[in-house]
């Protein structure tokens, strides 16, 4: 296949799927991964794709957020008991008067019942969090604007990222799709990664919520190393095989 034809095909695949890993493109176009990476670098330079770790995504994604394989409500029904226990443990870290940020994950959203009656400010781009706390008299809600991802009920894009840069919070609570044994925190949704990184940047204390199935979990996009977080809330302490933390790690692991 000619280079120009292959690159046109890559652009079409990225626009059709929203984001595509290098390995998938290499298989689809019968090319080496090194060749695909060179193609992506050139296409990114031309503005036709946006390069992300492990692949590429549609630079128009801010206007057309990628679809989710499962709706928020479906994911929220998974492992309800452990999620509730982890959410309660995380919420216990919040003090009256705190300004906190809540990510779009289902476990993070499960914190809402445990925050009712608290005198706090909550910053979020999650409509599930907004619904969960809208009736709380003592909770001040700051909703980050942006482009709606309808299947997951979250707001993303440059408006969301710009709003985040104007805020500082005492604590940020984030979810993840997976954590590698080397401590790499992952996600599967390109439009959400900048939001997660922005939350880490604005927080004094950052807390990651992840049950044992997220070790290693899934995902090909690196959000940050686990060293960027101060706390990990999980349903059981990870083994050394699941999470190889350095001896001098300051990460606080919290379990129900």
């Amino acid at each position: 296949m000619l280079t120009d034809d292959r690159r046109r095909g890559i652009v079409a695949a990225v626009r059709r799927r929203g984001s595509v890993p290098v390995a998938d493109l290499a298989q689809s176009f019968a090319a080496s991964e090194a060749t695909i990476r060179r193609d992506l670098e050139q296409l990114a330079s031309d503005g036709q794709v946006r390069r992300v770790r492990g692949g590429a995504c549609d630079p128009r994604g801010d206007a057309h957020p990628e679809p989710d394989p499962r709706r928020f409500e479906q994911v929220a029904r998974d492992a309800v008991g452990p999620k509730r226990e982890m959410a309660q443990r995380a919420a216990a870290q919040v003090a009256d008067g705190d300004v906190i940020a809540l990510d779009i994950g289902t476990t993070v959203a499960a914190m809402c019942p445990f925050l009712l009656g608290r005198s706090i400010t909550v910053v979020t781009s999650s409509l599930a969090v907004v619904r969960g706390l809208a009736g709380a008299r003592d909770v001040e809600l700051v909703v980050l604007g942006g482009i709606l991802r309808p299947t997951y009920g979250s707001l993303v894009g440059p408006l969301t990222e710009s709003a985040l840069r104007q805020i500082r919070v005492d604590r940020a609570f984030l979810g993840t799709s997976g954590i590698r044994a080397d401590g790499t925190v992952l996600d599967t949704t390109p439009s959400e990664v900048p939001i997660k990184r922005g939350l880490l940047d604005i927080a004094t204390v950052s807390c990651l919520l992840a049950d044992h199935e997220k070790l290693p979990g899934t995902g090909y996009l690196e959000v940050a190393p686990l060293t960027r977080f101060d706390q990990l809330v999980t349903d059981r302490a990870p083994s050394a095989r699941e999470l190889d933390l350095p001896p001098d790690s300051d990460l606080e692991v919290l379990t129900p």
Side-chain angles (χ1 to χ4, degrees), residues 136-159:
R137 293 180 57 185
D138 295 324
V139 175
E140 182 177 14
L141 272 174
V142 178
V143 184
L144 302 171
I147 304 299
L148 177 66
R149 290 176 58 217
T151 55
Y152 221 77
S154 65
L155 299 163
V156 297
L159 290 176

Side-chain angles (χ1 to χ4, degrees), residues 78-255:
D78 294 341
V80 174
K83 282 182 179 178
R84 178 180 173 82
E85 293 175 350
M86 290 164 52
Q88 186 173 15
R89 187 71 170 94
Q93 308 306 305
V94 180
D96 282 348
D98 276 354
V99 179
I100 68 171
L102 298 183
D103 190 21
I104 58 100
T106 55
T107 307
V108 174
M111 293 173 60
C112 290
F114 304 107
L115 297 174
L116 298 175
R118 306 293 294 277
S119 180
I120 56 175
T121 298
V122 176
V123 178
T124 191
S125 59
S126 166
L127 296 188
V129 171
V130 173
R131 289 191 294 268
L133 295 176
R137 293 180 57 185
D138 295 324
V139 175
E140 182 177 14
L141 272 174
V142 178
V143 184
L144 302 171
I147 304 299
L148 177 66
R149 290 176 58 217
T151 55
Y152 221 77
S154 65
L155 299 163
V156 297
L159 290 176
T160 319
E161 296 165 34
S162 176
L164 268 178
R165 289 192 290 268
Q166 302 175 55
I167 296 171
R168 294 294 180 270
V169 301
D170 298 303
R171 294 179 179 272
F173 296 88
L174 285 76
T176 180
S177 63
I179 309 172
R180 290 180 180 167
D182 66 0
T184 303
V185 178
L186 301 171
D187 200 75
T188 57
T189 310
S191 62
E192 293 290 357
V193 172
I195 311 301
K196 291 178 181 291
R197 291 174 179 165
L199 291 173
L200 288 172
D201 289 340
I202 68 170
T204 301
V205 176
S206 298
C207 179
L208 183 67
L209 283 70
D211 65 28
H212 69 277
E213 293 186 353
K214 300 293 179 66
L215 295 152
T218 60
Y220 69 97
L221 301 170
E222 179 177 351
V223 175
L226 194 54
T227 53
R228 287 290 308 276
F229 292 84
D230 301 283
Q231 297 174 323
L232 170 66
V233 176
T234 184
D235 56 339
R236 71 182 189 203
S239 67
R241 179 181 58 82
E242 292 172 322
L243 190 58
D244 185 17
L245 293 173
D248 60 347
S249 172
D250 293 328
L251 182 70
E252 184 180 10
V253 179
L254 304 175
T255 56

Side-chain angles (χ1 to χ4, degrees), residues 3-19:
T3 299
D4 287 346
D5 292 338
R6 184 178 63 248
R7 290 179 177 173
R8 279 193 291 270
I10 289 172
V11 171
V14 170
R15 290 182 176 177
R16 183 171 62 253
R17 294 175 54 182
S19 62

